[in-house]
Amino acid sequence: MQNQRTRRAHGPSRLTSCRSRNPRAEAPKADASAESRLPARSLDRLYASLGTAALAVAGCTATDPTGSPVAEALLAPPLAGRALELTEKSVTLQDGSELRYERGVLQVPVRRGVADSASLPLEFYRFFGPEEGAGPPILRIMGGPGWTGAGERVENPGWAEFYVLPFTAAADLVVLGQRGFGASGALECDRPEPLTLEEALSSRRRQELHVAALEACRQAQEDDGVEIEGFSVLEMAADTVEVGAALGYEKFQLLASSFGSHVSMAVLRLYPNRVAQATFNALEGPDHTFDMPSGKWAALERISASARSAEGATGPSPLQSFRRLVERSRSEPVKVELLLEGEDWEDLLAGESRREVTLELGPDDLTSLPFLGSTTFSFRWPRWYAALEDVANGSLEEEAEELLWRWTHPRSEAPAALQLDCGSGLTAERRQRIADDPASRWLRADDKLEDCISWGSPDLGDTFRSGFETAVPVVLIHGDHDSATPIDNALELLPSFSDHHFVWVAGGSHGALVEAFDVPEFVTALQTWLRSGDRSELPELLQVPLPF
């Protein structure tokens, strides 16, 4: 028997017939309970014939292996030239052995249910698990939106050992790309021109130019004939099922983090009979695209408390000092004197060798200081805490200069990311909760809430965002120091999973799943779950090492 490192992958191929491993028969009727919860607004064409059309890849149809009703792929019409391309590849591991794997590209419709819709290439990578005793194939959906694919990452030293081998010890691992990014039909907009210093120092002018850039980006997509409505979570859910079917997987399990869990919950809702089990880290539920400021602030307080405990600090918390600074700035902006000089600024100094500028920072500016966005993963926390102490002590020059640089050099927006996040949106109830959240006074809410108004994305509707429930067995993993998707998300979602095991990762960041790999017993227990569905060895509380 060949092991997972030497097993031969398939060469380049086209999917032109139905294989015995591929469950393809007449399409079943849609799951009535799932259909009743589907959005009725803005998706009429997408769902017009749900349950009457089949997953079609080169003329083959898909069905659920149990014969149970299931909402099959969203009206995927046969497309001329639609094919599955598999290319054998290999990488040398750090121990000198060779890992063979496949790069796959499946042509998928941009908009299912639209007969003349274009197609796009969906890239994925398949790594083989054990020949015997393997669990259901693992479909890995990464976070974002914005994951550009495994691509060159596979060649990075240690990447496969850390992100692949722990999972292929249990089953095949398929790492999916995301439509609209990287090799999977990337959408791009021109980078905005740099702002003058005068424009950058005017908040009103910055906002005007930002809105204009968003509108120009959207118009550019339409002028290029991009079917922008096709970049939705529902289409991504169908992509997931189609890749599994094309690879011959009758059933699979999901492994997803952050935005990937958001997509995976749509898979569970639409295709419950295709999913054997699921593992989610850093949960983002159907109505969690925009996070509660209080949940993020609570995570920052835990990180700060961990840092203070490690250094034996006493006295006022710098996080509370920062909060008071933000509150004071409402009545009197904080003034920061900057001296701009050197090659980093020469293009904006209009021939001057140096220039002194004064930034007046109000609450919106202070809550946009760059250090606040550096707490996603634990390895960044020491730098964050050091910057927090500086800002709390009144040393704002470094952060203020970086903020000004970002103002003068706005980045281009990712059209697919805007479309995906704005399309998922949020309920009116959650929008009001965010507006009423006391922490929003000292922690800025997501700017994309305002961007969505300018972008004008079709909304998937409240039916998409509410009423989610599933009986599929799941393991939920969430860190209580996660400032990107607060652990409150997971606690809110627990009643939606009737068959769950929750692992609270004390000290875990947004990457709590991989941080938990530092605990060998956890890795063994997770592999047991992935291979056999046995959760009995998984802990309910797991403490991970902190970087302080």
Side-chain angles (χ1 to χ4, degrees):
M1 182 181 70
Q2 294 172 303
N3 64 33
Q4 61 172 322
R5 299 188 181 185
T6 60
R7 179 178 170 185
R8 180 172 178 79
H10 299 291
S13 63
R14 277 187 179 272
L15 189 64
T16 56
S17 63
C18 300
R19 295 176 290 171
S20 60
R21 286 183 66 200
N22 216 345
R24 303 176 188 271
E26 288 188 5
K29 295 181 181 179
D31 177 3
S33 63
E35 187 176 16
S36 68
R37 296 193 295 270
L38 299 178
R41 186 176 58 186
S42 303
L43 291 171
D44 293 341
R45 287 179 296 176
L46 192 62
Y47 287 101
S49 306
L50 185 62
T52 65
L55 168 64
V57 182
C60 299
T61 58
T63 186
D64 178 73
T66 66
S68 303
V70 60
E72 272 301 345
L74 304 179
L75 308 179
L79 295 175
R82 187 169 180 201
L84 171 67
E85 303 280 353
L86 293 173
T87 305
E88 180 181 349
K89 300 177 77 69
S90 66
V91 63
T92 301
L93 300 177
Q94 291 180 314
D95 65 2
S97 63
E98 187 177 38
L99 174 67
R100 293 186 179 274
Y101 60 95
E102 291 175 333
R103 177 184 183 268
V105 177
L106 178 67
Q107 295 295 323
V108 297
V110 176
R111 287 189 297 168
R112 294 167 172 87
V114 177
D116 58 350
S117 179
S119 65
L120 61 82
L122 187 72
E123 182 189 48
F124 60 89
Y125 284 76
R126 173 161 65 169
F127 304 89
F128 294 104
E131 295 271 358
E132 298 178 359
I138 302 167
L139 270 57
R140 180 78 161 106
I141 308 178
M142 304 298 286
W147 168 252
T148 56
E152 296 179 355
R153 292 179 173 91
V154 182
E155 303 291 335
N156 292 340
W159 192 88
E161 286 87 343
F162 197 73
Y163 290 100
V164 174
L165 297 187
F167 303 112
T168 54
D172 282 5
L173 173 69
V174 180
V175 182
L176 287 94
Q178 295 179 355
R179 58 169 54 207
F181 305 97
S184 299
L187 301 182
E188 297 179 354
C189 281
D190 293 336
R191 186 180 182 90
E193 291 293 325
L195 275 61
T196 66
L197 284 173
E198 288 71 21
E199 289 172 329
L201 293 172
S202 168
S203 60
R204 180 181 62 82
R205 185 59 179 153
R206 289 199 309 270
Q207 182 61 20
E208 290 174 348
L209 292 171
H210 177 66
V211 170
L214 284 174
E215 293 174 346
C217 180
R218 178 60 183 259
Q219 188 61 52
Q221 303 307 305
E222 295 177 355
D223 292 346
D224 289 343
V226 174
E227 299 171 272
I228 197 68
E229 292 182 7
F231 295 85
S232 75
V233 168
L234 297 174
E235 295 287 359
M236 290 182 72
D239 290 343
T240 304
V241 173
E242 287 196 26
V243 168
L247 292 176
Y249 298 146
E250 293 184 352
K251 274 199 167 187
F252 51 80
Q253 58 181 312
L254 297 168
L255 174 63
S257 299
S258 192
F259 174 73
S261 71
H262 184 71
V263 175
S264 294
M265 288 178 216
V267 176
L268 290 177
R269 172 175 276 177
L270 292 169
Y271 315 102
N273 294 328
R274 301 304 301 275
V275 185
Q277 59 188 47
T279 306
F280 296 153
N281 166 65
L283 276 71
E284 181 184 319
D287 198 22
H288 290 156
T289 298
F290 300 94
D291 294 298
M292 297 296 298
S294 57
K296 301 179 77 166
W297 184 260
L300 295 179
E301 287 184 320
R302 295 185 188 105
I303 298 171
S304 178
S306 295
R308 289 170 58 74
S309 176
E311 66 180 20
T314 58
S317 163
L319 194 60
Q320 295 306 318
S321 298
F322 172 73
R323 170 180 165 176
R324 289 192 290 271
L325 179 67
V326 173
E327 291 289 6
R328 288 198 304 270
S329 73
R330 297 182 185 278
S331 57
E332 183 178 358
V334 176
K335 294 184 179 181
V336 183
E337 305 291 338
L338 297 178
L339 177 62
L340 308 181
E341 60 182 343
E343 61 181 17
D344 288 344
W345 295 98
E346 61 184 13
D347 292 341
L348 296 171
L349 290 178
E352 301 178 54
S353 61
R354 58 173 57 189
R355 182 171 174 182
E356 294 183 354
V357 297
T358 301
L359 267 61
E360 294 191 356
L361 304 179
D364 286 348
D365 305 316
L366 291 172
T367 53
S368 299
L369 289 176
F371 82 96
L372 285 172
S374 65
T375 57
T376 305
F377 300 105
S378 60
F379 67 87
R380 297 175 179 168
W381 292 347
R383 190 271 175 191
W384 169 79
Y385 188 71
L388 173 65
E389 288 185 308
D390 287 344
V391 171
N393 291 329
S395 301
L396 279 74
E397 288 80 7
E398 183 177 347
E399 290 292 323
E401 183 171 342
E402 186 175 346
L403 181 64
L404 179 59
W405 175 261
R406 295 186 183 190
W407 286 348
T408 56
H409 297 80
R411 61 181 178 83
S412 58
E413 300 294 338
L418 277 165
Q419 183 68 22
L420 285 160
D421 281 343
C422 296
S424 290
L426 73 172
T427 60
E429 185 270 340
R430 188 168 182 86
R431 183 183 295 272
Q432 191 61 50
R433 284 178 60 200
I434 291 175
D436 295 341
D437 192 323
S440 64
R441 289 182 59 84
W442 51 85
L443 190 64
R444 187 179 178 87
D446 197 319
D447 291 339
K448 201 171 287 187
L449 276 168
E450 298 178 3
D451 290 349
C452 289
I453 298 174
S454 303
W455 184 251
S457 173
D459 192 313
L460 294 183
D462 282 354
T463 312
F464 165 79
R465 293 183 283 267
S466 58
F468 168 70
E469 57 184 26
T470 180
V472 172
V474 298
V475 167
L476 310 174
I477 302 166
H478 213 121
D480 60 8
H481 287 38
D482 186 347
S483 62
T485 54
I487 197 169
D488 306 57
N489 290 359
L491 299 177
E492 288 179 7
L493 284 166
L494 285 182
S496 299
F497 300 98
S498 61
D499 186 0
H500 73 264
H501 179 95
F502 182 42
V503 180
W504 181 301
V505 183
S509 74
H510 196 56
L513 172 61
V514 293
E515 289 163 358
F517 285 1
D518 286 333
V519 182
E521 296 81 3
F522 174 81
V523 178
T524 301
L526 181 66
Q527 290 169 339
T528 298
W529 152 249
L530 296 172
R531 185 170 49 249
S532 67
D534 179 3
R535 295 173 291 197
S536 62
E537 299 177 15
L538 285 165
E540 295 182 355
L541 177 65
L542 181 69
Q543 176 71 56
V544 295
L546 296 171
F548 301 109

